[in-house]
Amino acid sequence: MADPSVQPGKRKREEEEKKEESVLAPGPEGDKAPVGNGTAASARFPFSGFRLQKVLKESSRDKIIFLHGKVNETSGDGDGDGDDAVVILEKTPFQVDQVAQLLLGSPELQLQFSNDIYSTYNLFPPKLLSDIKTTVVYPATEKHLKKYLRQDLHLVRETGDDYKNITLPYLDSQSLSIQWVYNILEKKAEADRIVFENPDPLDGFVLIPDLKWNQKQLDDLYLIAICHRRGIKSLRELTGEHLPLLRNILQQGQEAIQQRYQVKEERLRVYLHYQPSYYHLHVHFTALGFEAPGSGVERAHLLTDVIENLECDPDYYQHRTLTFALRADEPLLKLFQEAKKN
Ligand code: M7G
């Protein structure tokens, strides 16, 4: 029986905490695919040195910074030899079940000021509670540097014909490599991170935590479903023929997330990006309360809506005008602007 001396609010919080602890524990198939995988062993960056070239983007609100650096320089005289790398540093969200430890004992503190009942401090957390999520793209291509550089955005409206005449030829020559996608599908990378797989070559997919999620808390839950079938570039190429695949991703993806993380379907945002960065069909699953980058109306298309649109009209995405934003320096934007002048 519940302890009556505990306040109801506190008891509820404790119950929630217990639930939160358990949801991040491995599910029934946990031995095969542990949550939060990787190893605790210390690691090294895949390059040596790092000479900052440019801060590509930063956000004090999101506590994230995108850096472009030169690495592996031999001469050390800054003459530009060496390779390009992008390093993204992000302060991670608090983990509710651990945060109280920050205040236990005598934490390292510096007083900033104190006034009546108010005081502010700098608190220096112990090593285990002060990790910074670090994402490395190395070697980074010119396209990666552009992808992460803060830029003004411009809306474009693309008709079905624009896609065939302007976008598609451009994509074929310009899009980012999708080798990482094939590595996942062929179990050459991240195999131990797979949360669910439907192995059907036509209508199956792999569900895996997104690069952006550290899997330590559910607030920013983020997984992607990558279809096994090759050659479907994006939303634009979907037709009625792909409905079984899309229904599988929606239903089985939601079930797998409920089973593994105890997050129900009504707490999930399930959507496709148009345009995506990587042109192999994939679907994003994020926590509803998390404003994931790219979840705005000019880029995210809810999978439930996509399915219904295709049920009503199997060629819906062949002829609809689709709106998306392009960075100011993107050659595709220029192509659209020139085409619209004529
Ligand atoms: P997108 O809409 O093509 O591009 O989504 P975006 O990055 O502009 O959103 C691709 C998704 O795949 C993004 O959410 C990425 O964070 C994620 N992603 C990218 N890479 C290179 C990897 C990877 O190597 N592993 C995993 N698990 N996810 C990745």
Side-chain angles (χ1 to χ4, degrees):
M1 209 176 81
D3 176 357
S5 65
V6 178
Q7 297 154 359
K10 191 173 169 217
R11 192 181 311 132
K12 188 158 173 266
R13 183 66 234 140
E14 281 171 358
E15 277 162 14
E16 274 168 14
E17 277 171 13
K18 269 203 207 109
K19 214 163 102 197
E20 274 161 16
E21 273 169 33
S22 64
V23 287
L24 288 178
E29 72 283 42
D31 289 346
K32 268 185 279 158
V35 174
N37 61 77
T39 66
S42 61
R44 281 174 188 279
F45 286 128
F47 50 73
S48 62
F50 186 89
R51 193 165 55 80
L52 183 65
Q53 296 287 103
K54 193 178 174 84
V55 173
L56 297 169
K57 192 166 31 176
E58 68 175 313
S59 159
S60 50
R61 197 196 72 164
D62 297 333
K63 318 234 170 3
I64 191 165
I65 190 161
F66 298 73
L67 305 174
H68 167 207
K70 281 279 179 201
V71 299
N72 301 339
E73 289 179 309
T74 44
S75 53
D77 59 2
D79 67 356
D81 73 334
D83 306 315
D84 291 301
V86 172
V87 176
I88 306 166
L89 301 173
E90 182 179 8
K91 298 214 176 169
T92 51
F94 289 112
Q95 289 169 52
V96 181
D97 55 331
Q98 288 186 6
V99 78
Q101 288 175 32
L102 282 173
L103 309 175
L104 292 178
S106 34
E108 201 183 328
L109 275 186
Q110 273 173 2
L111 177 69
Q112 284 189 322
F113 78 86
S114 132
N115 180 351
D116 188 36
I117 60 171
Y118 306 99
S119 50
T120 70
Y121 305 84
N122 284 329
L123 187 153
F124 299 94
K127 195 173 154 204
L128 273 176
L129 296 177
S130 60
D131 59 319
I132 291 179
K133 178 170 172 10
T134 306
T135 305
V136 169
V137 182
Y138 163 78
T141 65
E142 197 59 35
K143 290 177 210 160
H144 290 108
L145 300 181
K146 282 194 177 152
K147 170 173 160 66
Y148 292 116
L149 181 67
R150 182 181 297 288
Q151 290 263 329
D152 286 341
L153 296 173
H154 297 259
L155 277 188
V156 164
R157 287 184 42 80
E158 178 199 69
T159 63
D161 282 344
D162 289 340
Y163 176 70
K164 284 186 212 117
N165 300 328
I166 306 174
T167 311
L168 189 56
Y170 171 82
L171 294 184
D172 286 340
S173 64
Q174 291 299 317
S175 44
L176 286 165
S177 161
I178 48 175
Q179 186 56 47
W180 67 273
V181 170
Y182 297 147
N183 289 347
I184 290 175
L185 295 176
E186 292 166 15
K187 319 284 158 39
K188 291 182 182 158
E190 304 188 52
D192 56 344
R193 287 161 44 90
I194 292 175
V195 170
F196 175 83
E197 176 170 15
N198 173 337
D200 190 282
L202 211 56
D203 297 328
F205 67 98
V206 166
L207 181 72
I208 193 160
D210 192 277
L211 175 86
K212 296 195 207 74
W213 187 35
N214 68 6
Q215 301 182 77
K216 288 194 175 161
Q217 58 287 310
L218 295 175
D219 307 37
D220 59 345
L221 173 139
Y222 201 146
L223 294 102
I224 42 170
I226 303 174
C227 73
H228 272 300
R229 186 165 162 182
R230 299 193 181 189
I232 314 169
K233 283 191 163 52
S234 70
L235 173 73
R236 186 52 110 176
E237 301 199 339
L238 291 174
T239 65
E241 181 208 348
H242 303 110
L243 278 166
L245 165 69
L246 299 174
R247 292 189 190 115
N248 282 349
I249 291 180
L250 181 63
Q251 198 191 332
Q252 296 167 5
Q254 285 172 333
E255 279 168 11
I257 289 174
Q258 154 95 55
Q259 208 178 4
R260 173 63 71 92
Y261 304 105
Q262 282 83 57
V263 176
K264 293 200 178 124
E265 60 184 77
E266 72 251 28
R267 310 274 299 151
L268 288 176
R269 185 188 290 112
V270 186
Y271 57 97
L272 293 93
H273 278 162
Y274 194 72
Q275 300 279 339
S277 297
Y278 301 97
Y279 290 87
H280 174 110
L281 192 81
H282 57 273
V283 174
H284 303 248
F285 289 73
T286 60
L288 189 59
F290 172 49
E291 284 178 37
S295 54
V297 291
E298 77 286 13
R299 197 167 184 216
H301 297 251
L302 285 176
L303 180 55
T304 44
D305 290 352
V306 172
I307 290 175
E308 201 168 317
N309 289 337
L310 292 172
E311 283 169 347
C312 294
D313 173 2
D315 291 330
Y316 184 92
Y317 291 102
Q318 310 296 298
H319 50 70
R320 282 295 303 213
T321 297
L322 296 174
T323 302
F324 51 85
L326 289 172
R327 295 188 308 271
D329 74 335
E330 251 176 291
L332 185 58
L333 178 64
K334 208 172 237 164
L335 293 177
F336 264 92
Q337 287 169 337
E338 276 161 15
K340 299 291 159 182
K341 267 193 245 152
N342 304 324

